[in-house]
Structure formats: C-alpha cells, structure tokens
Amino acid sequence: MEWRKWMVLVVTIWIQAFSGTNFDFSAYSSDMKSALGISQVQLNYLAVASDLGKAFGWSSGLALLYLPIWTVLLMAASFGFVGYGLQWLLIRNLLSLPYFLVFLACLLSGLSVCWFLTVCFVLCVRNFTHHNRSLAISLTVSFNSISPSLYTLAASAFTSSSSSSSSGPIYLLLNAALPLFVSAAAILSILRQQPPPQLPDKLPHTTATHDSLIFLLLNVFAFLTGLYLLLFNTVSTLPSVDSLLFGGGLLLLVMPLFVPAVISARDRAQRAFTDGGPAFGSFQIIDIKESQLLESLLDKVEEVEEKWWRCWWEKDRVETLGEEHGVSKLVRRIDFWLYYASYFCGATVGLIYINNLGQIAQSLGHNSSTAAILGVYSACSFFGRLLASAPEFLRQNVYFARTGWLALALIPTPIAFSVLVGSDGLLALMTATGLVGLSSGFVFAAAVSVTSELFGPKSVGVNHNIVITNIPLGSILYGLLATLVYDANEGSSRLVTLRSSDGAAAAACMGRKCYELTFMVWGCISLLGLAASVALFLRTKPAYDRSERDKVTTPLT
C-alpha cells in the first residue's frame, strides 16, 4: 500500500528528531565536571566515551540480522534510558558512581544514538527504491540535528523561571525519557506497516512524479520547522510561553503526516476531471536532441580534462559509481583515504567543537547564553542536513558531482575558526557556531550517499561504519588537544572554582587564551580536510560525469 511507506517515513522523522541526544553534551558538561570534581582532561574522556559508541555501530547491523527491527529500536531506547538515567541520578546526587562506571554510562548513551541511526537508515532502505532513497535518508537525517532545539524548549518548559539551579539535570532526564517514549509510540506504526516483499527496480512515471512532489513539500515543511526553532528557541524565559512554543514544535513534526494524503487527494481529483496529459511537477522530462548535444559537449570537455589532469590522482581512482568494495579492497583505495581525511579533518572537527561548546562559552564569559548558542547550532546543522538533499532536486538543471558538494560544504569550517580567533564576542561565537553547524550538518547527511556511490550500495552498512571510525579517533585527538591547551592556560588566565550542590569543586579557565591556540590548530586541520575533499572531487568527477551521461542518454520508459 502506497500510504505505508509515507507513514514509516514520518515515524522515522520523529525518531530522528528526538534521538540526537549526543548534541547537547555541552548543556550539562559543566554540571558533570562539578559533580564528579574532575579535570578538563577527564571531562574530555567522557565526551570521547559518547563518541566511542559509534565505533561499535556494527553491533546494530549484527542485531538486525537476527532480531526484528522493532526489537532493535526498543533496545536502542533502553540503552539511552539506562545511560542517561545513571548520569541524571549522579548529577542529582541520588547515586554515587566511580568515574569508570560514568565512562561506561556515557559509552552506552553514545551507542544508543548509533543504533537509532541504523534503525532509521534501514527503515528508509526497506521502504524506498533507489529512485528516491537518498531523498528519504537526507530528509530524515536532517531532523536528527533539531534535537538540541527541541530539548532546549522542553527544558525551559519544565524549568521554573524562579529557579536558579542549572538546567543540566533536566537535559539528562529528557535524554533518557523522550527517546523511549517516542520509540514506544513508533513501534506501533512499525508493526502495522510491514514493508513490501520486494521493491520494484523502476517506478512508473506517474508514481515518480507523485513522490517527487511529496518530497518537495516535506522539505518545505522541514525548512519551516528549522526556521521556527531558530527564531523561537530563546524568545522567552517564561515556562508557560516555552510550553506553547514546544507544543508548536511538536505540531510541526506532526504536519508532514498529512502531506501524502493531500497530494493523493489532489491526484485523484485531477484524474476525475481530466482524461490524462503531462503530469505536473515532473523532474524527468529530457529533450533527446539536447541530450545528444550534451553528450557531445561532455565528450569534448572530458577529452580536454584528460590532457590537463593526467597525474598521480588519476591512478587507481573509482571508475564506476556503485562498484562494490569489500573491506580489503576499500582500504587499498586512495579515494577512500581522501574521503576519510575529508571527514576526519572536516565534520569531525566541528563535532568536537560542539562537545566543548559548554566550556568554550564559559571561558569566554557567555555561560548564560549556552542554550541560545546550542540552539543556533541545532538550527544551522538542521539546515545543513536539509541542503544535502538539494542536489537531488537540482540535478536535472544544475548537475554537480556529490563529492564536489562535499568539498563546498567544508568551506565554512575554517572560516568559523578564523572568526573565533579574531573575536571573543557573543555574536562571533554564535556566527562561528552557525557556520560549523551548516558545514558538519551537510557532511553528516550526505556521507551515507557518498559512501554508497563510491564504494557500493550493498556494502554501505559495513563501509560507512568503517568511515565513521574517524569520529572517536578525532574525539580523542582533537579533544585531548583542546584540554591540554585549556589546562596549560589555567595559570596564565583568570581561574575560577565551580562548586556543585554537594560541595565538589572543579577549576575553570576563564579568558580568551583558554581556547585560542586550539581554534588556530582546528582551523589549520579543517583546511587540510578541505584540500582532501577537493582532491577527492577531482579524482571522482569523471566517474560522476560518466554516470550522469548514461542516465541522460537512456530513454525513459
């Protein structure tokens, strides 16, 4: 039934919207540091533990081989409930845990996020054909980044305006409870909406047009949702107003459920009053003469390019998109390591920046604005992920290799760190955070499609888990750099002592010097990532051009 896949898509959007709990670590990291009485280095290890959960992403794929998808979803929610629940009990002084067990709780929390992502990815793969699968994945993944904004509104709604206590415990409680509640509601829909036994290789022209229009409207709703959360995330400090704003955000998440029904009703009405004709909104109409001219021009361009770009990066490059790569073949590819370096030196740097955002804002004297800054990142990361689907809509008019889009997406990150080096004002911090969110959000959403195209769709589950091993590695290296610079400047910068409610004390570095060198190094590393992505684009461009030319010259049936 056609309605089935759209119901699953909306349910996947809900799961993604409430499972991005790894993005709000900075909202409670200061509370964690004070409650445990630990150093900045030890706090960084807790952030590493959360990212380290991604290194065990293969376990979710293994579980799906033997367990139904609803069971894996419930297990993901249970991991998060236990992990974040233990941290909440610790911060509220209801439970005393040694540092090692807190580390394991953070690891379990990070693992839950990875399992959620795998479940959502599998739901899209099982219910959508290759014709629109990348659109479904990009759309749903984009909602993962609005979690911090939703949680900020929820935390404000449940926090008394007269309370002077930190909101950190509220975030942890919401991280534990909301994904479990949403998963329980989603399980009912997943059990009722069984996927078809086999998806068709090609969609009928009318169905493709119908689906394209639905995806376009769903992306419009997604844009409005992100704009709403960006504008109203910190508009009020009154719990009653925040409750209304949070309710408005939930309403926007429900609205996509009605889009397929409206489009289907319009199509039925159109068929009732007309006898046929060209379908509205088609993205597939191509003039044969124009395609032949385009083929001739592309051949000439490729001939010229081969004369100019015959150098080392042409050796052993990916020649055909979708070619399957096993692990041994994958790690021998130069293109894989260029892709790995682009991710490791680009989006991962941005992710580690967000993990340290709480301490960065505190050291620059903007601790009271942490929630607002986090909201800016959430909204901009959402828009970045949403933009990752733009190439699919533009490819009939403006075609550009996906690796080229990836290179363009990495440009804002070095600019962001340049802004932070030049100024320590609140506006500069928000601007830089927004640029990092746009860049990393695009990469996170586009990465699965890039991995699938370059190294094969059947092997994408294993290969992409290999790619994202760069995240825990970057968390260790980049996070350690930040903490070493932070601790080294405690003597030369203004030093304050933070105390938790149980009297535990922790030192905090204050001033620009606490992270200035870190921003410089991170900026240089992000430039290396940009250079690697440009090299990847130049090496893979012929394969993308060849694939697109084959699609253009193939007659439509």
Side-chain angles (χ1 to χ4, degrees):
M1 184 178 179
E2 188 69 14
W3 175 256
R4 171 177 51 216
K5 66 180 182 181
W6 300 113
M7 182 64 188
V8 171
L9 182 70
V10 174
V11 167
T12 305
I13 287 174
W14 295 344
I15 296 172
Q16 290 275 25
F18 289 97
S19 63
T21 52
N22 56 321
F23 291 115
D24 60 13
F25 178 80
S26 58
Y28 57 86
S29 57
S30 296
D31 297 280
M32 185 73 71
K33 182 178 180 180
S34 299
L36 290 172
I38 56 179
S39 66
Q40 187 69 17
V41 173
Q42 291 174 304
L43 180 65
N44 175 69
Y45 288 149
L46 295 182
V48 170
S50 180
D51 292 330
L52 197 59
K54 297 179 176 65
F56 299 95
W58 54 268
S59 61
S60 56
L62 185 64
L64 284 167
L65 292 177
Y66 301 99
L67 299 173
I69 195 167
W70 65 268
T71 304
V72 178
L73 176 62
L74 190 59
M75 290 176 65
S78 300
F79 292 159
F81 182 77
V82 174
Y84 287 115
L86 289 175
Q87 295 175 66
W88 177 76
L89 291 173
L90 175 70
I91 287 185
R92 292 303 302 267
N93 300 316
L94 299 175
L95 183 68
S96 178
L97 293 174
Y99 179 81
F100 177 69
L101 289 182
V102 178
F103 182 92
L104 291 180
C106 292
L107 180 66
L108 191 62
S109 303
L111 183 64
S112 72
V113 176
C114 189
W115 277 48
F116 276 125
L117 291 175
T118 302
V119 168
C120 293
F121 174 69
V122 170
L123 284 173
C124 291
V125 169
R126 289 182 178 178
N127 289 275
F128 290 90
T129 66
H130 69 278
H131 175 83
N132 47 30
R133 186 175 296 154
S134 58
L135 285 173
I137 293 174
S138 296
L139 177 66
T140 55
V141 168
S142 65
F143 278 88
N144 187 253
S145 61
I146 71 171
S147 295
S149 292
L150 286 174
Y151 280 75
T152 297
L153 286 177
S156 300
F158 293 119
T159 302
S160 171
S161 58
S162 60
S163 175
S164 59
S165 60
S166 170
S167 60
I170 296 293
Y171 277 92
L172 284 170
L173 184 60
L174 292 173
N175 285 354
L178 284 183
L180 182 62
F181 175 78
V182 173
S183 298
I187 284 175
L188 298 177
S189 299
I190 293 174
L191 289 176
R192 293 181 61 186
Q193 306 293 334
Q194 295 296 326
Q198 185 176 1
L199 295 174
D201 293 332
K202 290 186 178 181
L203 292 175
H205 180 70
T206 54
T207 303
T209 301
H210 175 270
D211 288 1
S212 297
L213 184 56
I214 290 179
F215 273 114
L216 183 61
L217 291 179
L218 287 175
N219 275 272
V220 170
F221 267 105
F223 176 81
L224 294 177
T225 302
L227 190 63
Y228 174 89
L229 293 174
L230 177 63
L231 294 178
F232 298 109
N233 192 255
T234 56
V235 74
S236 172
T237 57
L238 298 176
S240 57
V241 177
D242 288 325
S243 298
L244 292 176
L245 294 176
F246 179 60
L250 295 180
L251 180 62
L252 285 172
L253 290 177
V254 174
M255 291 301 292
L257 192 62
F258 301 100
V259 171
V262 172
I263 299 300
S264 298
R266 188 216 64 161
D267 290 345
R268 286 194 295 270
Q270 190 177 47
R271 287 193 297 269
F273 289 99
T274 63
D275 294 327
F280 174 79
S282 174
F283 300 112
Q284 301 292 331
I285 299 176
I286 300 174
D287 184 77
I288 300 300
K289 293 182 179 179
E290 290 183 0
S291 69
Q292 292 173 347
L293 177 61
L294 178 62
E295 179 185 5
S296 177
L297 290 174
L298 287 174
D299 287 339
K300 295 293 184 182
V301 171
E302 187 171 333
E303 181 180 348
V304 173
E305 286 179 341
E306 287 177 354
K307 295 179 180 179
W308 284 97
W309 300 105
R310 192 177 301 278
C311 56
W312 68 270
W313 59 64
E314 294 187 358
K315 298 179 181 179
D316 192 38
R317 65 185 180 186
V318 172
E319 297 291 344
T320 305
L321 296 186
E323 179 185 354
E324 295 298 332
H325 287 65
V327 175
S328 60
K329 184 179 180 180
L330 181 75
V331 298
R332 293 198 302 268
R333 281 282 193 189
I334 295 176
D335 293 328
F336 166 74
W337 291 110
L338 287 174
Y339 179 40
Y340 194 92
S342 302
Y343 205 129
F344 177 67
C345 299
T348 298
V349 177
L351 182 60
I352 307 312
Y353 166 78
I354 296 304
N355 285 346
N356 287 270
L357 187 58
Q359 275 63 50
I360 292 172
Q362 183 184 73
S363 66
L364 296 178
H366 308 306
N367 193 38
S368 60
S369 302
T370 300
I373 300 169
L374 193 62
V376 170
Y377 169 79
S378 173
C380 291
S381 178
F382 174 75
F383 288 130
R385 293 173 187 239
L386 202 59
L387 285 173
S389 63
E392 299 295 331
F393 292 104
L394 299 176
R395 67 184 307 154
Q396 297 300 330
N397 298 316
V398 181
Y399 176 72
F400 198 46
R402 201 183 297 272
T403 49
W405 290 105
L406 183 70
L408 290 175
L410 292 178
I411 294 177
T413 301
I415 297 176
F417 290 120
S418 299
V419 171
L420 290 172
V421 171
S423 174
D424 59 354
L426 179 60
L427 179 60
L429 183 58
M430 284 192 166
T431 301
T433 301
L435 290 172
V436 170
L438 280 172
S439 178
S440 58
F442 189 103
V443 175
F444 292 149
V448 174
S449 297
V450 173
T451 305
S452 175
E453 291 172 347
L454 294 182
F455 310 117
K458 294 181 180 178
S459 308
V460 67
V462 175
N463 291 344
H464 194 64
N465 275 317
I466 295 175
V467 171
I468 63 175
T469 57
N470 79 87
I471 295 178
L473 179 62
S475 185
I476 295 172
L477 296 179
Y478 302 149
L480 183 61
L481 166 68
T483 55
L484 291 177
V485 173
Y486 182 95
D487 288 342
N489 282 285
E490 283 185 349
S492 58
S493 302
R494 186 163 57 92
L495 189 65
V496 299
T497 300
L498 302 177
R499 292 188 179 276
S500 64
S501 57
D502 64 347
C509 178
M510 301 293 293
R512 215 173 146 182
K513 291 291 184 181
C514 300
Y515 281 97
E516 187 175 37
L517 179 60
T518 300
F519 293 149
M520 292 180 182
V521 176
W522 282 354
C524 293
I525 291 173
S526 63
L527 286 175
L528 293 177
L530 177 60
S533 67
V534 171
L536 178 66
F537 165 62
L538 294 176
R539 285 177 57 87
T540 58
K541 184 176 182 295
Y544 275 95
D545 289 344
R546 190 177 302 109
S547 175
E548 184 66 15
R549 185 167 62 250
D550 292 342
K551 291 179 182 178
V552 170
T553 56
T554 300
L556 293 175
T557 57

